[in-house]
Amino acid sequence: MAVAMASCSLGVNLNSNCSLKKPFAIPLQTGAVVEGSFGFGSKSFCIVQKGRLLSSSTSTTPRASSATAVEGGKPDGSRSETDKIPIPKVIIDQDSDPNATVVEITFGDRLGALLDTMSALRNLGLNVVKANVYLDSSGKHNKFAITRADTGRKVVDPELLEAIRLTIINNLIEYHPESSSQLAMGAAFGIVPPPEQVDVDVATHISINDDGPNRSLLYVESADRPGLLVDLVKTVTDINVAVESGEFDTEGLLAKAKFHVSYRGKPLIKPLQQVLANSLRYYLRRPMTEEGSF
């Protein structure tokens, strides 16, 4: 997999009607140009990284900045100060539909129709081709099937998949400010940031197992941060392991990835599994250094 050196940043600029009112940069790994895919295509892109994550467990709900910011709750839009904040979940599923990327969003019973989120996704050059809602004991689940507007196909570019994830999280923070204390993005953009740091050594788990005759299943769990999906794919493809498809879940302050991977169309042999696991552990656990410290 070809890798060159460069530097740039990915900006997601969302309009005032559907999400945050100013652009922001997605911090990714410094000075690297990646060629890879999360599905069935490939594309080169450049990434830049800076900063650390903060984290926390559940806490008391702060009041929203306006009644329209929070869906549900009391008639005036507020909630009890003693309400527990549910764990926000954003799932990006590349396995269940061969023709579309499936996105699922859950935040207890607090989400509405998410029309603003669908509008923000369209601003990224995407079509929402199907949407449905279902309820279970964990809350209300909003599911979208999305495709690229220019091709009508599912999204396979890791950079765009990460932009989708961060757009959804930004909308959660914008319209449900109480969610910011439960999200890694809340440290930079939320009203109430997570009060504690995630212990990366404790939070990081990696496993690799055979998944049929032609591929292996890579599972990674770690502290979430902006740009993590892209950086995981880059770390894998840097050692010439192909990422065929998978699922990337954001569950509060944690990220959980399940990737179907292969090496030259075959499952990863044990030595290569060890190399991949060590590479991911090094990347996920290494200290972040601010650029200004040099």
Side-chain angles (χ1 to χ4, degrees):
M1 193 64 67
V3 178
M5 300 306 293
S7 177
C8 71
S9 64
L10 167 64
V12 178
N13 192 357
L14 307 177
N15 63 41
S16 59
N17 294 326
C18 64
S19 64
L20 294 180
K21 301 179 176 55
K22 58 182 180 180
F24 66 97
I26 300 174
L28 307 174
Q29 186 169 344
T30 304
V33 174
V34 183
E35 183 177 317
S37 69
F38 185 59
F40 307 100
S42 70
K43 180 180 178 181
S44 297
F45 50 91
C46 50
I47 50 182
V48 79
Q49 171 185 331
K50 182 177 179 180
R52 284 187 74 92
L53 288 187
L54 299 177
S55 83
S56 168
S57 55
T58 57
S59 59
T60 304
T61 305
R63 291 195 180 273
S65 57
S66 68
T68 58
V70 177
E71 298 164 346
K74 296 179 181 179
D76 63 356
S78 65
R79 288 183 178 269
S80 167
E81 291 292 336
T82 59
D83 281 355
K84 266 195 171 181
I85 303 172
I87 300 296
K89 296 182 181 180
V90 178
I91 298 172
I92 297 178
D93 178 7
Q94 294 286 77
D95 284 335
S96 61
D97 190 325
N99 301 312
T101 297
V102 177
V103 175
E104 181 175 329
I105 311 167
T106 307
F107 187 46
D109 61 353
R110 304 187 181 200
L111 298 180
L114 298 183
L115 298 179
D116 298 286
T117 296
M118 286 191 283
S119 176
L121 293 175
R122 293 188 185 100
N123 289 341
L124 294 178
L126 303 168
N127 287 331
V128 179
V129 296
K130 184 168 57 178
N132 62 72
V133 178
Y134 70 92
L135 298 171
D136 63 16
S137 59
S138 64
K140 182 180 179 181
H141 301 254
N142 295 67
K143 294 185 74 172
F144 307 126
I146 58 179
T147 60
R148 293 184 63 119
D150 55 352
T151 65
R153 297 180 179 180
K154 70 190 302 176
V155 181
V156 297
D157 176 13
E159 188 182 51
L160 183 53
L161 288 168
E162 180 69 349
I164 291 168
R165 184 175 80 99
L166 297 187
T167 296
I168 293 168
I169 291 173
N170 271 312
N171 268 32
L172 270 174
I173 293 174
E174 172 74 5
Y175 294 101
H176 297 270
E178 73 277 17
S179 68
S180 67
S181 66
Q182 297 279 13
L183 291 163
M185 288 282 287
F189 304 107
I191 294 176
V192 180
E196 298 177 2
Q197 289 187 349
V198 169
D199 188 326
V200 177
D201 288 332
V202 173
T204 299
H205 304 281
I206 300 169
S207 65
I208 307 171
N209 300 289
D210 287 346
D211 184 32
N214 299 317
R215 64 187 187 181
S216 299
L217 179 64
L218 167 65
Y219 176 81
V220 181
E221 179 178 337
S222 191
D224 187 27
R225 64 166 182 75
L228 183 60
L229 190 159
V230 176
D231 288 344
L232 287 177
V233 173
K234 177 190 181 301
T235 302
V236 174
T237 57
D238 271 354
I239 58 174
N240 295 322
V241 172
V243 180
E244 298 177 2
S245 64
E247 180 179 307
F248 192 92
D249 302 351
T250 307
E251 296 188 12
L253 298 159
L254 296 176
K256 302 177 181 180
K258 291 183 289 186
F259 295 151
H260 299 291
V261 297
S262 64
Y263 179 72
R264 297 181 177 178
K266 298 294 182 181
L268 275 57
I269 61 175
K270 293 297 182 182
L272 186 54
Q273 290 182 14
Q274 191 63 52
V275 170
L276 177 56
N278 289 343
S279 298
L280 289 167
R281 287 192 183 95
Y282 172 78
Y283 161 71
L284 292 168
R285 294 178 177 179
R286 74 172 187 247
M288 302 286 186
T289 304
E290 295 290 338
E291 292 175 356
S293 65
F294 290 97

